[in-house]
Amino acid sequence: EVQLVESGGGLVQPGGSLRLSCAASGLTFSNYAMNWVRQAPGKGLEWVSTISGSGGSRYYADSVKGRFTGSRDNSKNTLYLQMSSLRAEDTAVYYCAKEGSSRHMDVWGKGTTVTVSS
Amino acid sequence: DIVMTQSPDSLAVSLGERATINCKSSQSVLYSSNNENYLAWYQQKPGQPPKLLIYWASTRESGVPDRFSGSGSGTDFTLTISRLQAEDVAVYYCQQSYSTITFGQGTRLEIK
């Protein structure tokens, strides 16, 4: 069974930084692109980033471009999201999700909560 | 970016009845090279992550009950729940992956 477990969320001040992790198990991790998707309190889903299986291709939403950096360590089966220059509007539950054949997301973690507040 | 617009924003349906949710994209999500629509549907229950129901507009994910079905092509899509059960109460999202991934705003489904 494929499992994804996010960690690293917490309370951070505006302008601060945080690194999220997503540990994967039950799959050949390097074979799959991975996504970060976030959900602000009471709001809908917002795609944040996609990283190819090799890590060589990375894509970002305009709302986070230049501030967030996605990476992965395939030897550790772990996906990362380095977030900097955080803003109040970055407050959300952050999910990692495995990408399926049509770029849909077929497995999701339970999420980790990021709160940006002074 | 492609804008995904769902309708209605919320609906209430009686148990055992049919629920229909619509999703319209601002441009076609049909990929001509493989004739597939890059459109997926997700279900999200309170306090839980989203769950994939349908991909390629009409392919049901493994383990999803057959009362869930997807249809449509190009820019207009529909998620149908044929016989509503209590456990189907959730928010439903469509998502396109033809270009930069975008989601619809969500449709809240309740029991009447």
Side-chain angles (χ1 to χ4, degrees), chain A:
Chain A
E1 179 193 6
V2 178
Q3 287 195 324
L4 302 174
V5 179
E6 302 92 337
S7 61
L11 175 63
V12 61
Q13 292 188 340
S17 299
L18 209 57
R19 188 177 83 157
L20 306 184
S21 300
C22 170
S25 60
L27 76 169
T28 304
F29 185 61
S30 60
N31 284 355
Y32 299 97
M34 297 291 294
N35 293 274
W36 289 100
V37 175
R38 68 184 181 183
Q39 188 169 37
K43 303 297 185 182
L45 302 171
E46 180 189 15
W47 169 78
V48 172
S49 176
T50 300
I51 303 173
S52 64
S54 66
S57 297
R58 310 177 192 191
Y59 309 92
Y60 302 97
D62 287 344
S63 58
V64 307
K65 203 172 293 183
R67 301 187 299 122
F68 290 11
T69 302
S71 62
R72 61 193 296 162
D73 185 337
N74 287 341
S75 68
K76 295 182 178 179
N77 286 1
T78 302
L79 177 74
Y80 302 101
L81 186 67
Q82 179 68 47
M83 306 185 295
S84 60
S85 302
L86 283 162
R87 307 166 179 166
E89 53 264 36
D90 296 318
T91 294
V93 176
Y94 284 73
Y95 297 101
C96 67
K98 170 185 165 290
E99 194 161 283
S101 53
S102 75
R103 298 189 62 215
H104 56 271
M105 300 175 207
D106 57 4
V107 181
W108 295 66
K110 295 188 187 307
T112 187
T113 300
V114 173
T115 303
V116 184
S117 174
S118 55

